[in-house]
Amino acid sequence: CKALQGIDFSMPMASAQVKSALLLAGLYAQGHTRITEPAPTRDHTERMLGGFGVRVHSDGPQRSLHGGQQLQGAEELRVKESDRIAAMASGLIACGAKVRATPDGMVIDGQPDASLNGCTIDSQGDHRIAMAFSVAAQRARAPLQILDTSHVATSFPGFVRVAQASGMRIEASSTTA
């Protein structure tokens, strides 16, 4: 078995999954591993590794704005199971949030009362969208109905039970559980 060698790799496409695989392989490689992204991606792996004492340098795609938030450098989210940027922006807009989608993210305008209105959300069959709006529903003035949630049971079979145990107000219909 040949030992892994550290690499200096420029990713051709922004992908948090590929970056994570390369970083984890780099843990077992001889020498340094450096990954250059064409645009920032999610940094869950870097944060986890940092928690274990591994030194990882990373710049995240999110920056604060006065009175709101801007997500930048997340264009990879447009080419996953769904266009997650469009799905999140349209769902937030349906709930009364002031949001503007951008090619690589979105701008969310701050509001004095951050509560959402009740609305219907199309998750587009993406379990991440469905679960994100399940959490967002906790700040809504009225219930949110989230459509097309069957994929949640595949990716996180106990999601509703765990959410309820943590105090979330959430129900699953028999057709979507």
Side-chain angles (χ1 to χ4, degrees):
C1 183
K2 187 176 178 181
L4 292 175
Q5 299 296 315
I7 61 171
D8 186 345
F9 184 74
S10 292
M11 295 176 57
M13 172 187 248
S15 170
Q17 292 89 348
V18 171
K19 177 179 67 173
S20 293
L22 293 168
L23 287 171
L24 293 171
L27 289 174
Y28 297 95
Q30 296 175 0
H32 287 64
T33 296
R34 184 171 70 175
I35 301 161
T36 303
E37 302 176 270
T41 60
R42 291 164 287 152
D43 65 348
H44 301 143
T45 302
E46 293 92 320
R47 286 188 272 158
M48 176 192 71
L49 291 172
F52 290 128
V54 176
R55 192 170 56 104
V56 178
H57 175 70
S58 175
D59 293 321
Q62 184 173 334
R63 64 184 171 97
S64 293
L65 294 175
H66 179 70
Q69 291 290 317
Q70 181 172 357
L71 175 67
Q72 292 179 299
E75 58 269 8
E76 69 169 289
L77 299 179
R78 290 199 177 273
V79 294
K80 299 295 182 176
E81 290 87 347
S82 66
D83 180 340
R84 294 180 185 151
I85 291 172
M88 290 299 298
S90 66
L92 288 167
I93 290 167
C95 292
K98 294 182 179 174
V99 176
R100 179 176 48 87
T102 64
D104 69 339
M106 69 178 78
V107 176
I108 304 170
D109 294 332
Q111 299 176 30
D113 178 4
S115 296
L116 299 172
N117 298 321
C119 64
T120 299
I121 302 293
D122 179 3
S123 74
Q124 301 179 17
D126 189 321
H127 61 279
R128 291 168 188 88
I129 302 299
M131 290 188 287
F133 277 104
S134 295
V135 173
Q138 305 312 298
R139 291 282 299 151
R141 293 182 192 96
L144 270 64
Q145 179 182 18
I146 304 169
L147 306 175
D148 200 7
T149 61
S150 61
H151 288 76
V152 172
T154 302
S155 88
F156 189 161
F159 176 73
V160 172
R161 180 182 40 79
V162 171
Q164 289 171 334
S166 71
M168 286 176 60
R169 300 173 322 268
I170 185 172
E171 296 176 18
S173 70
S174 59
T175 60
T176 61

